């Protein structure tokens, strides 16, 4: 009896993991950037116990001439998830909370856990905001 329960649970878990891998490519771009940060980014689709999750992983490198501090103004990086019609499904933002020296980088993640079947692209934006 326990073996059958284990096999059923393991099979269901594998199905959830594979469900996260069935999505076609989600394209992304840097739509606006008024900061000295240079972005590299990629997405991943993951199966979780509660469903599918899209995760955009971003590395932002300070390509400017000065250190970015957390005083005064800081970059606010947002990730906007869009559907086929360009409608916004979700938007998440992160303000830099640690200084970033010239040539140094910082990593960020932007998850999407709703409307994951509808997302076809994402846009990154980086603007200055008051700290």
């Amino acid at each position: 009896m326990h073996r059958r329960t284990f096999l059923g649970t393991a099979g269901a878990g594998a199905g959830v993991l594979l469900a996260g891998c069935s999505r076609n490519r989600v394209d992304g771009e840097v739509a606006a950037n008024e900061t000295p940060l240079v972005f590299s980014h990629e997405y991943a689709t993951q199966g979780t116990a509660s469903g599918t999750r899209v995760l955009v992983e971003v590395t932002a490198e300070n390509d400017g001439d000065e250190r970015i501090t957390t005083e005064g103004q800081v970059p606010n990086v947002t990730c906007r998830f869009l559907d086929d019609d360009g409608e916004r499904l979700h938007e998440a933002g992160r303000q830099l909370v640690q200084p970033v020296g010239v040539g140094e980088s910082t990593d960020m993640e932007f998850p999407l856990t709703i409307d994951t079947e509808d997302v076809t692209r994402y846009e990154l934006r980086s603007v200055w905001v008051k700290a």
Side-chain angles (χ1 to χ4, degrees), residues 36-37 61-71 73-75 96-104 128:
L37 297 173
E61 182 179 344
N62 180 356
D63 194 35
D65 298 328
E66 296 180 22
R67 178 183 176 140
I68 297 173
T69 67
T70 55
E71 301 169 8
Q73 291 188 327
V74 296
L96 292 187
V97 294
Q98 297 292 325
V100 182
V102 174
E104 293 180 352
W128 292 106

Side-chain angles (χ1 to χ4, degrees), residues 7-106:
L7 291 175
T9 302
V16 168
L17 290 174
L18 291 175
C21 298
S22 65
R23 180 79 183 132
N24 289 336
R25 177 121 185 107
V26 175
D27 294 317
E29 67 177 337
V30 178
N33 185 4
E34 53 184 58
T35 69
L37 297 173
V38 175
F39 296 96
S40 59
H41 51 93
E42 61 182 34
Y43 87 101
T45 305
Q46 305 170 331
T48 66
S50 60
T52 303
R53 174 174 100 143
V54 173
L55 181 68
V56 175
E57 298 171 323
V58 177
T59 299
E61 182 179 344
N62 180 356
D63 194 35
D65 298 328
E66 296 180 22
R67 178 183 176 140
I68 297 173
T69 67
T70 55
E71 301 169 8
Q73 291 188 327
V74 296
N76 184 54
V77 181
T78 59
C79 182
R80 183 178 292 171
F81 295 93
L82 306 167
D83 66 11
D84 276 334
D85 297 325
E87 294 293 321
R88 181 177 55 184
L89 300 171
H90 180 68
E91 183 172 316
R94 305 272 186 278
Q95 285 185 16
L96 292 187
V97 294
Q98 297 292 325
V100 182
V102 174
E104 293 180 352
S105 63
T106 186

